[in-house]
Amino acid sequence: MPTRWAFGLFISIVSQLALAEPDGAVLFTRHCAACHGLNGMGGVGVPLALPGLQATVDDDYLRLSIRHGRPGRVMPAFTQLTDQEVAALVKQVRSFNKSSSGFPAVKPPHGNAIHGAKLFASHCAACHGAHGEGSHGTGVTFSRPRDLPILAPALNNPGFLAAASDSMIKTTLLHGREGTPMLSFVKQGLSESDVDDVVAYVRSFAQPSQTTLPADTAHEPPILLRTSKYSVAETTERVKDVMTRYNLRIIRSVPFNQGMVETKDENPEQRIIDGCDFGFLNKALAVDPRVGLFLPCRVTIAQREDKVIIMTINPKRLSYIFNNAELNELCEEMSKLYNDLLDEAVQ
Ligand code: HEC
Ligand code: HEC
């Protein structure tokens, strides 16, 4: 029967369209859950499920936050997703909270940024940083003070400023974020016009000179390399000597393939030396636990035909993957240390 046939076709097209719609839960698990928690309760990233956040921000804020990320603050920019995928993610983030409706709309703020700057210094800077750069670290439990259950986000960040409207910032200040250290500043004694002034000051961070973008390090070589005029054994001793002088405790100095082959097959022509400055390691872990991927410091020494080469990874090259401006600074420091160390060892 033609109508039955047409109906069947219709159903099949509809179900295919339904299948083609991106699945927000799957996308969230794949792209966001590692940092924001499976149910949006937070982790390295701030909690997205909190009613106070959900009642404050509109879908555009979520969409633009996903698109722009927070350059230099760990939160990636998801430029590769389609508009449909981003919309599905926004829906998924909304699904974490079914109870709260939005806060009432506010009068659009037109404040005085100069007065706002004074209020910011006295009421906000302790948590959000003197220039709105956000608190240190990434938010993992052990890397933040225990009295601050959620890290203060960066407000001078181009990603935040692109996503947040003045009204959203004002609503945040009026109501705070219940369940987080972010308080209602009306309850803290600020008037509505004070709040408007602070909003104007936060908006003034949008001047490009005040924002820190991560350094572009994609042109850096992945490996730092030197040729040594000494034998593998002599070079090993020299590296250990320099490491000790640089305050690196030698953790081990072994053939490169130790543990992967029988002792008799170990290759004496290739060695690795691991050293660690524990003070630096702890500082770096507090900034971003992902430094564990390239610490402790490792120097590799190898005989290549008639030459002895000596190398380390280049932390400056690795750091750009992580989108963390604070980590970039440490990686810069580490690259300098590695370069000096290699230079001295082959002198
Ligand atoms: C590598 C970790 C990481 C990943 C992956 C990540 N985020 Fe984030 N996200 C963060 C951090 C950290 C912040 C806070 C930024 C700051 O401190 O300034 C943040 C902030 C946000 C904010 C702003 C929250 C607020 O309170 O205003 C939203 C919205 C957000 N992320 C959504 C997402 C979504 C959706 C995904 C997946 C598509 C995602 N994030 C993936 C780490 C991450
Ligand atoms: C005691 C620490 C603390 C103080 C003081 C504080 N904040 Fe916050 N603020 C936070 C935390 C933590 C969050 C993140 C809350 C969340 O995860 O929802 C936050 C969130 C925000 C947000 C939303 C940003 C985002 O990415 O969602 C804005 C805007 C903000 N604060 C502005 C201010 C301003 C302006 C002041 C001063 C009037 C101030 N805060 C004072 C800790 C603080």
Side-chain angles (χ1 to χ4, degrees):
M1 225 183 359
T3 42
R4 265 215 21 223
W5 179 81
F7 185 70
L9 184 68
F10 174 75
I11 290 294
S12 124
I13 289 173
V14 166
S15 58
Q16 273 179 36
L17 282 177
L19 276 181
E21 181 143 321
D23 184 330
V26 170
L27 287 166
F28 191 87
T29 306
R30 184 179 312 149
H31 297 294
C32 326
C35 292
H36 290 286
L38 261 183
N39 300 313
M41 281 317 292
V44 173
V46 290
L48 302 175
L50 286 180
L53 169 74
Q54 297 259 347
T56 304
V57 305
D58 58 14
D59 286 358
D60 261 355
Y61 176 80
L62 297 174
R63 184 175 60 78
L64 292 169
S65 292
I66 296 167
R67 276 283 183 233
H68 296 294
R70 297 287 186 266
R73 289 284 295 176
V74 180
M75 164 79 190
F78 291 89
T79 47
Q80 79 281 20
L81 301 178
T82 64
D83 287 348
Q84 289 80 355
E85 287 172 322
V86 173
L89 277 164
V90 169
K91 244 189 180 167
Q92 179 63 19
V93 171
R94 286 294 184 206
S95 78
F96 294 140
N97 180 274
K98 298 194 175 69
S99 57
S100 73
S101 47
F103 287 122
V106 293
K107 257 204 278 133
H110 297 288
N112 171 342
I114 297 171
H115 183 230
K118 293 205 185 100
L119 293 170
F120 191 90
S122 55
H123 288 76
C124 322
C127 292
H128 288 283
H131 306 287
E133 64 274 21
S135 55
H136 294 292
T138 56
V140 181
T141 322
F142 67 79
S143 71
R144 65 190 179 213
R146 288 191 182 280
D147 56 342
L148 206 65
I150 298 167
L151 287 176
L155 305 177
N156 72 356
N157 192 278
F160 171 73
L161 290 166
S165 66
D166 286 356
S167 300
M168 174 273 187
I169 301 174
K170 180 170 176 176
T171 307
T172 307
L173 294 179
L174 294 180
H175 298 277
R177 295 267 171 89
E178 212 182 314
T180 84
M182 178 69 196
L183 304 169
S184 154
F185 280 88
V186 179
K187 291 191 189 143
Q188 297 293 300
L190 295 192
S191 67
E192 182 166 348
S193 109
D194 287 339
V195 165
D196 287 355
D197 294 349
V198 176
V199 174
Y201 179 62
V202 170
R203 184 56 63 192
S204 77
F205 289 140
Q207 318 305 333
S209 63
Q210 302 215 15
T211 55
T212 37
L213 286 167
D216 173 17
T217 52
H219 60 278
E220 285 281 328
I223 300 278
L224 304 174
L225 184 77
R226 301 288 188 280
T227 310
S228 168
K229 57 185 183 238
Y230 306 99
S231 69
V232 169
E234 284 164 340
T235 308
T236 303
E237 287 318 303
R238 292 181 68 87
V239 168
K240 279 159 69 177
D241 189 51
V242 182
M243 275 184 156
T244 311
R245 272 191 288 117
Y246 277 57
N247 274 330
L248 296 170
R249 173 119 50 92
I250 310 289
I251 303 172
R252 57 187 196 143
S253 163
V254 294
F256 187 75
N257 54 0
Q258 188 183 65
M260 294 184 262
V261 295
E262 305 229 0
T263 315
K264 65 175 171 41
D265 296 326
E266 282 173 3
N267 183 353
E269 307 278 71
Q270 292 187 350
R271 295 190 69 85
I272 50 172
I273 307 172
D274 288 343
C276 187
D277 173 341
F278 286 93
F280 184 87
L281 178 67
N282 285 334
K283 188 167 93 177
L285 280 173
V287 165
D288 196 320
R290 292 172 296 180
V291 291
L293 291 177
F294 49 95
L295 283 176
C297 305
R298 168 167 295 185
V299 179
T300 304
I301 301 164
Q303 182 84 42
R304 283 282 153 80
E305 283 147 22
D306 57 343
K307 285 189 305 193
V308 171
I309 56 165
I310 150 174
M311 59 195 164
T312 68
I313 55 147
N314 182 359
K316 234 161 122 174
R317 170 62 188 267
L318 282 177
S319 68
Y320 84 102
I321 309 168
F322 294 119
N323 183 33
N324 182 344
E326 262 189 282
L327 182 63
N328 284 352
E329 278 168 37
L330 287 177
C331 286
E332 191 112 351
E333 218 178 291
M334 264 157 72
S335 286
K336 180 169 181 329
L337 177 113
Y338 281 178
N339 272 308
D340 291 353
L341 192 154
L342 294 180
D343 283 341
E344 276 194 44
V346 301
Q347 241 168 40

